[in-house]
Amino acid sequence: MSGLTNGIDGNPLLSPLSQDDPELCKIIQSEKRRQRRGLEMIASENFTSRAVSDCLSSCLTNKYSEGMVGQRYYGGNEFIDEVEKLCQTRALQAFGLSSEEWGVNVQPYSGSPANFAVYTALVEPHGRIMGLDLPDGGHLTHGFYTATRKVSATSIFFESMPYKINPATELIDYDKLQETARLFKPKLIIAGISCYPRHLDYKRFREICDENGSLLMSDMSHVSGLVATGLSPSPFEYCDIVTSTTHKTLRGPRSGMIFYRKGKKGVDKQGNPIMYDYEDKINAAVFPGLQGGPHNHQIAAIATAMRQAAEPYFKTYQEQVVKNAQALASGLSECGYKIVTGGTENHLVWVNMKSVGLSGAKAEKVLEEVAIACNKNTVPGDKSALNPSGIRIGTPALTTRGLKEHDFSTVVKFMDEAFKIAKDVQAKSGPKLVDFNRVIHEDEFKTRLNDLRERVEEFADVFTLPGLPDL
Ligand SMILES: *Cc1c(COP(=O)(O)O)cnc(C)c1O
């Protein structure tokens, strides 16, 4: 049909997606419907605002601007320079930082490239790095490897050594970290989490670093929204470098940032000033070291998200995120589910499903069947990362949609009902996941799951979903 491809005035490039590519448009519409009618409890996700989405679909995606503000390799960047400068200023403001003491690179494409740029800048090839182990709540990029495989590039190009959680207390074992660091003498220690519901002791990290001449990097990806609003301790007081994603609690676009100390570090024995030298190294590692042209639409979207982060409503939002996480943790605990570390101080709830006889994979699967999204996760004491015993859930996304504590009581009831169905499925299927995934689709369970799914979707549909209007 020529009408579909001819676009406006016969120019196909002017057609909206719905006309230009109905096949793809339909898939995106289905995803939007899934987001609206489901309960998004993946702790690293959020829903961006209309303003952020507007930036992401703007003309800024067209422009090449390799280099830093005022020093580009391409012409025509006067407005791109304005965008990036505004983004940097607002990013420093959002975290209460003075431009005398801190600088920020907003060009990393996402959180993983931001971390790799820091290691590239400040650690020599095969230099030593310590981070929280992945199964204990750390991130892949903090150096994950297994007995048979170096998984993260951080462990391929650098020598990484994990620190861990004490399985008895379920808290980070700072004493053991200190002991290992004395032996390993890392160039850099990372204080950062992807699944740890407690505040970090940055002061303790600093002391351990100082003992060994190590740099301290905070990766605040998960908690940066809480840091910006003073609900989580600030890493800036103690760290040399702070990295962050911008799309988690911070509620911006998918992207990354690197904050680095600059200016005077101290004085030497002769009384001459010693200056921080991170700025040039980090900028050079991002470009031309690892990346090419910055994603200017993302940088604009970070800029507008950082403006929002300074608004009083953003603090109210983050407070609600934490209250909701606490309501979720105590609700699940009252239903008999074991919460790792006994509760939460942030947006995360880490649930040990072993206590009710389910695995993380089965819990994730049954929730998916009823339109609740979460992810399976190892818990302290798990022997293998391949068969994790827990799930990780979080409240940032649903809090953005307007859910309050009493709504989370309803969410807890839905989850409890789903887990009870999972137990019944398992009673029939036996322990193997393949059998469980087959039996769950048998009629008797399908009917119960569909009934629950309908109630979940009806409940979720009422809450607003921000972003662009439907395609
Ligand atoms: C999410 C996350 C990252 C990586 O972010 P991507 O944007 O997915 O690359 C890095 N570090 C931590 C601690 C994270 O939680």
Side-chain angles (χ1 to χ4, degrees):
M1 257 193 31
S2 61
L4 285 180
T5 48
N6 276 354
I8 295 165
D9 298 333
N11 182 348
L13 301 187
L14 298 179
S15 296
L17 185 70
S18 54
Q19 282 174 31
D20 184 76
D21 192 346
E23 184 186 3
L24 176 64
C25 188
K26 212 164 144 242
I27 301 172
I28 298 177
Q29 281 167 341
S30 301
E31 168 59 13
K32 176 96 178 207
R33 184 181 147 88
R34 187 197 68 81
Q35 291 187 11
R36 198 181 64 242
R37 291 181 56 84
L39 292 174
E40 190 51 74
M41 299 186 77
I42 292 179
S44 48
E45 291 189 16
N46 212 326
F47 298 109
T48 61
S49 63
R50 168 75 193 259
V52 165
S53 298
D54 280 342
C55 292
L56 289 175
S57 59
S58 73
C59 65
L60 298 177
T61 194
N62 299 332
K63 191 72 195 100
Y64 248 109
S65 58
E66 285 176 352
M68 302 308 292
V69 173
Q71 304 164 324
R72 306 286 187 179
Y73 289 80
Y74 295 84
N77 274 306
E78 81 184 275
F79 301 114
I80 298 297
D81 276 357
E82 276 185 43
V83 169
E84 187 167 335
K85 220 156 56 185
L86 189 62
C87 182
Q88 290 168 325
T89 306
R90 288 177 176 175
L92 293 177
Q93 276 168 358
F95 294 95
L97 304 173
S98 129
S99 58
E100 310 274 291
E101 293 171 0
W102 287 90
V104 60
N105 187 309
V106 294
Q107 293 188 4
Y109 299 147
S110 209
S112 303
N115 286 348
F116 204 76
V118 174
Y119 313 147
T120 303
L122 303 179
V123 183
E124 71 289 356
H126 292 286
R128 296 173 183 179
I129 293 175
M130 286 187 78
L132 182 61
D133 210 4
L134 179 77
D136 294 43
H139 189 261
L140 270 171
T141 56
H142 298 178
F144 185 58
Y145 61 87
T146 67
T148 52
R149 199 158 78 88
K150 293 185 166 190
V151 181
S152 166
T154 309
S155 68
I156 297 173
F157 298 107
F158 303 93
E159 303 304 325
S160 53
M161 170 74 82
Y163 58 89
K164 297 188 71 70
I165 273 173
N166 178 334
T169 61
E170 301 187 325
L171 300 173
I172 289 176
D173 195 336
Y174 291 98
D175 293 337
K176 200 66 159 281
L177 162 60
Q178 181 160 29
E179 238 175 75
T180 314
R182 280 174 183 161
L183 295 171
F184 190 62
K185 298 282 177 214
K187 182 74 178 276
L188 179 117
I189 297 180
I190 305 154
I193 57 96
S194 290
C195 185
Y196 184 71
R198 298 290 168 181
H199 294 324
L200 294 181
D201 187 349
Y202 296 111
K203 183 161 178 284
R204 185 78 197 271
F205 275 109
R206 181 78 257 172
E207 287 161 7
I208 295 168
C209 283
D210 287 346
E211 258 188 29
N212 300 289
S214 315
L215 296 165
L216 179 56
M217 169 181 135
S218 150
D219 176 354
M220 62 170 182
S221 289
H222 258 266
V223 294
S224 46
L226 302 173
V227 170
T229 48
L231 298 174
S232 215
S234 172
F236 291 97
E237 191 181 341
Y238 295 104
C239 296
D240 301 291
I241 305 288
V242 178
T243 62
S244 184
T245 52
T246 52
H247 48 276
K248 297 178 182 172
T249 48
L250 212 48
R251 205 163 62 185
R254 307 198 82 75
S255 202
M257 302 193 281
I258 304 168
F259 296 87
Y260 48 84
R261 275 189 190 269
K262 63 182 218 188
K264 197 166 144 187
K265 186 176 185 181
V267 286
D268 67 11
K269 287 191 185 104
Q270 284 78 43
N272 303 313
I274 307 168
M275 308 300 281
Y276 284 108
D277 63 351
Y278 306 147
E279 180 165 11
D280 290 347
K281 290 178 180 172
I282 282 172
N283 288 343
V286 173
F287 173 85
L290 293 162
Q291 297 189 172
H295 291 183
N296 295 303
H297 56 308
Q298 287 180 319
I299 292 172
I302 301 174
T304 208
M306 291 305 95
R307 194 201 61 71
Q308 293 172 344
E311 294 286 339
Y313 72 72
F314 191 72
K315 178 153 190 187
T316 311
Y317 161 67
Q318 299 292 348
E319 285 168 347
Q320 193 64 51
V321 164
V322 176
K323 283 190 237 169
N324 285 346
Q326 285 168 352
L328 182 61
S330 59
L332 285 169
S333 175
E334 279 161 25
C335 291
Y337 301 95
K338 196 175 162 294
I339 307 301
V340 179
T341 80
T344 180
E345 290 169 333
N346 56 26
H347 63 297
L348 275 164
V349 180
W350 197 1
V351 193
N352 186 337
M353 300 302 301
K354 238 185 316 197
S355 54
V356 295
L358 286 172
S359 69
K362 287 171 193 162
E364 181 192 294
K365 173 72 182 167
V366 76
L367 291 181
E368 188 176 36
E369 291 292 323
V370 300
I372 299 175
C374 78
N375 61 279
K376 57 182 173 295
N377 215 102
T378 46
V379 296
D382 267 349
K383 295 286 176 290
S384 156
L386 295 177
N387 184 23
S389 304
I391 54 168
R392 180 188 73 160
I393 45 185
T395 54
L398 290 185
T399 307
T400 290
R401 295 191 65 184
L403 276 76
K404 301 276 194 310
E405 292 98 312
H406 63 271
D407 300 309
F408 274 90
S409 314
T410 310
V411 173
V412 166
K413 286 197 196 100
F414 288 144
M415 293 177 74
D416 186 38
E417 211 180 315
F419 294 147
K420 288 196 167 119
I421 298 173
K423 293 268 292 180
D424 293 345
V425 173
Q426 186 170 252
K428 188 167 178 193
S429 73
K432 275 201 182 135
L433 184 62
V434 277
D435 298 329
F436 180 90
N437 287 345
R438 181 174 36 81
V439 172
I440 202 170
H441 293 123
E442 288 178 4
D443 284 345
E444 59 175 307
F445 301 115
K446 215 155 79 185
T447 314
R448 289 170 70 187
L449 288 166
N450 282 347
D451 168 66
L452 177 55
R453 185 190 183 102
E454 268 168 37
R455 282 181 285 130
V456 169
E457 290 186 333
E458 231 167 78
F459 170 81
D461 210 13
V462 173
F463 296 94
T464 29
L465 188 73
L468 289 171
D470 288 351
L471 293 162

